[in-house]
Amino acid sequence: MQILAKCPACDAGLPIRGDEEAVAIQCGACGRDIPIKISEAVRLDRAVDRCPVCDGADFYGRKDFDPTIGLTVVIAGAVVSGVFYWFGRDFIAYSILAGAALIDLVVYGRLKDLTVCYRCHTEFRGVYPQTARAFDLHTADVLEQEYERRIGRR
C-alpha cells in the first residue's frame, strides 16, 4: 500500500510505503518529526482501518485525480465554447461542451479509487477492498475541527 501522509504543520505530502516499519517520519519541508503507527491491516494491504498519522478510523473514498486538473478542462471547454457561441456558431459551441463532458466521463471512469482520512487528509492507494463511503461534508467539518484543535492549529 502507498500512503501519502500530510504534515500537520505545513500540509506537505510525505510518501510512505505501507510495509515499512517506520516509527516516525520527518517532513522535508518544515523538518517536523511526525510519529506514525501503521496497523497490521494497512501493512498487509488488506484494509484501511486506522490512519497512521492521526490514528483516526473515519475515511472517505474518492477518485485518484487532482480536482484542479478536471476543473481546468471543464473551464477551458466552457471558454472555447463561449467564443463559438458569441460568434453565432451554436452547434459547434454545444459540440465542444459535449466533447469536454465526454472526455471528463471517460477519464473519470478509468481512474482508480483511493481512501482519504477525514481528519488529516492522509491518502491511501492499494489493492485492498474499497469500503470507505462517499465524502460527507458534516463528518468532515466535525472531524477536521477536532483534529486541528488536537494538534494546536485552532
Side-chain angles (χ1 to χ4, degrees):
M1 182 178 300
Q2 297 174 346
I3 303 168
L4 184 65
K6 300 289 182 166
C7 175
C10 67
D11 286 334
L14 308 169
I16 308 169
R17 287 190 26 205
D19 57 357
E20 290 181 352
E21 294 287 337
V23 176
I25 56 174
Q26 185 176 30
C27 178
C30 68
R32 179 178 178 163
D33 285 328
I34 304 163
I36 60 170
K37 187 172 75 175
I38 299 176
S39 71
E40 190 68 23
V42 170
R43 188 180 322 283
L44 298 175
D45 202 6
R46 287 191 313 228
V48 178
D49 59 347
R50 304 297 288 171
C51 178
V53 176
C54 69
D55 202 37
D58 300 293
F59 305 98
Y60 65 91
R62 70 170 175 88
K63 291 290 187 179
D64 192 4
F65 187 69
D66 185 7
T68 56
I69 295 173
L71 185 60
T72 302
V73 169
V74 171
I75 289 174
V79 168
V80 171
S81 175
V83 169
F84 280 99
Y85 191 75
W86 176 263
F87 289 110
R89 305 288 186 199
D90 296 353
F91 182 73
I92 296 173
Y94 292 130
S95 298
I96 290 171
L97 284 177
L102 185 63
I103 289 170
D104 189 45
L105 281 172
V106 168
V107 169
Y108 184 81
R110 297 196 56 158
L111 294 174
K112 295 182 179 179
D113 292 324
L114 65 91
T115 302
V116 183
C117 176
Y118 270 113
R119 288 178 175 86
C120 65
H121 304 286
T122 295
E123 299 175 353
F124 302 86
R125 293 170 177 85
V127 295
Y128 57 91
Q130 298 288 335
T131 58
R133 295 184 177 165
F135 181 79
D136 179 45
L137 184 58
H138 175 69
T139 304
D141 284 343
V142 171
L143 295 177
E144 283 176 8
Q145 289 177 14
E146 176 260 323
Y147 177 68
E148 287 180 353
R149 277 191 213 99
R150 192 173 79 198
I151 64 171
R153 264 197 188 170
R154 286 188 184 235

